[in-house]
Amino acid sequence: MRHYPSSVLNLINNLSRLPGIGKKTAERLAMHILQAPRKEAELLSNSIIKLKETVKLCSVCFSLSDGNICNICGDPARDASILCVVERPADMVAIEKSGSFLGLYHILQGALSPMDGVGPDNIRIKELILRIDRGRIKEIVLATGTNVEGEATASYIADRLKNYPVKVTRIASGVPMGGDLKYIDQVTLQRAMETRHTV
Amino acid sequence: MRHYPSSVLNLINNLSRLPGIGKKTAERLAMHILQAPRKEAELLSNSIIKLKETVKLCSVCFSLSDGNICNICGDPARDASILCVVERPADMVAIEKSGSFLGLYHILQGALSPMDGVGPDNIRIKELILRIDRGRIKEIVLATGTNVEGEATASYIADRLKNYPVKVTRIASGVPMGGDLKYIDQVTLQRAMETRHTV
């Protein structure tokens, strides 16, 4: 690598800090940028800075937004009586892509993880309760992850909401659609069995 | 994707123009940049623009350089009597990494490819001959690729240099070190057999 001029080396180093991009890939990307039209390099460079400058968290649901309120919170067609609680903006995007939810969201910005020092005050649980206090919400769908942290977060929130006049539900976990039973892990099968429903 | 704010979408689109980066990877990279410190994003953004602004071609050998003359051409310890001809700067870097060559380079900036409209005047052959005309060079090592274009380019240059007082050599091609004969393609084996040498 040291055989490249320093401006090429700099870009290779900065690119290889991105997740999943090693030195070899960074070298290939830098060579591409070098040969690409200047316009394309400028667009890429500007969009990185613009992202950091313009993306804020929606003041209502804490998802990513270019403005003060995100597109979903600002959409009068969405059902404001049902709230889906997720850990991260990417989780919200995944649910939106599935088209299976027409209510509003609440993005916690993380999950409880005592090992990493993340307690209830470090994620947006207080703000969730404030939204419920305002009284329009009838159902909370807990869609945090199905790993230890996500499960603990869902349990904690369900517990905190015990005395509130809202229905608290959890997204189902079980055998993925199209999944072959013999390849599914035991914990998932146990959960699928426990949460079986009448047809 | 349309569920992201437009500044996030912009970055995802610009990132996915890079080679080997699909929409999914671009999404993951954008999420990383979003969560990374502002400083890191600025470094990346600036290094892209700085690359386009500062990298030039060395006026002697046409490799990448931050200045008018590259580090190798400016190094008095390199043997100026032997010149290695390669297609691309990355080829030069590969040879430098191997540490097997201590002379100077000449980067053609491509290979002859009549199908793509690349003729002898479109790559730096004229400049190579000008360097030879200056008279200090004793040997030209042709290290263009071993594909059709690279072979044709090497043949063409060897032919053009027939009447010049320089020795023209070609890097050996054959079985890679550690390669298993039964997995080597026929063309490589033929070449290895033809160019066999006494031990």
Side-chain angles (χ1 to χ4, degrees), chain A residues 155-167:
Chain A
S155 297
Y156 178 86
I157 295 175
D159 199 55
R160 281 284 295 267
L161 298 181
K162 251 190 343 236
N163 300 321
Y164 284 81
V166 286
K167 185 175 162 191

Side-chain angles (χ1 to χ4, degrees), chain B residues 24 86 94 97 141 151 157 191:
Chain B
K24 281 262 169 193
V86 296
K97 276 181 194 165
V141 183
E151 291 281 298
I157 294 175
R191 174 68 71 99

Side-chain angles (χ1 to χ4, degrees), chain A residues 57-63 65 67-70 73 127 131 134:
Chain A
L57 295 183
C58 169
S59 61
V60 179
C61 74
F62 305 102
S63 74
S65 172
N68 193 31
I69 286 182
C70 75
C73 288
E127 290 85 350
R131 287 179 79 178
R134 259 176 254 134

Side-chain angles (χ1 to χ4, degrees), chain B residues 42-98:
Chain B
E42 275 172 359
L43 276 174
L44 178 60
S45 173
N46 290 340
S47 58
I48 292 169
I49 278 301
K50 205 157 160 50
L51 179 81
K52 295 303 268 190
E53 275 167 1
T54 62
V55 173
K56 295 192 275 256
L57 295 184
C58 169
S59 61
V60 179
C61 73
F62 305 101
S63 74
L64 304 175
S65 171
D66 280 343
N68 193 33
I69 286 183
C70 74
N71 295 339
I72 292 175
C73 288
D75 182 353
R78 309 281 304 210
D79 181 356
S81 71
I82 177 166
L83 218 60
C84 180
V85 177
V86 296
E87 295 177 22
R88 298 267 168 215
D91 302 332
M92 184 203 87
V93 171
I95 295 173
E96 281 296 290
K97 276 181 194 165
S98 78

Side-chain angles (χ1 to χ4, degrees), chain B residues 150-171:
Chain B
E151 291 281 298
T153 309
S155 297
Y156 178 85
I157 294 175
D159 200 54
R160 281 284 295 266
L161 298 182
K162 252 190 342 237
N163 300 322
Y164 285 80
V166 287
K167 183 175 163 191
V168 179
T169 55
R170 176 90 171 106
I171 50 161

Side-chain angles (χ1 to χ4, degrees), chain A residues 175-184:
Chain A
V175 182
M177 297 303 288
D180 194 330
L181 281 193
K182 67 175 171 289
Y183 299 127
I184 308 295

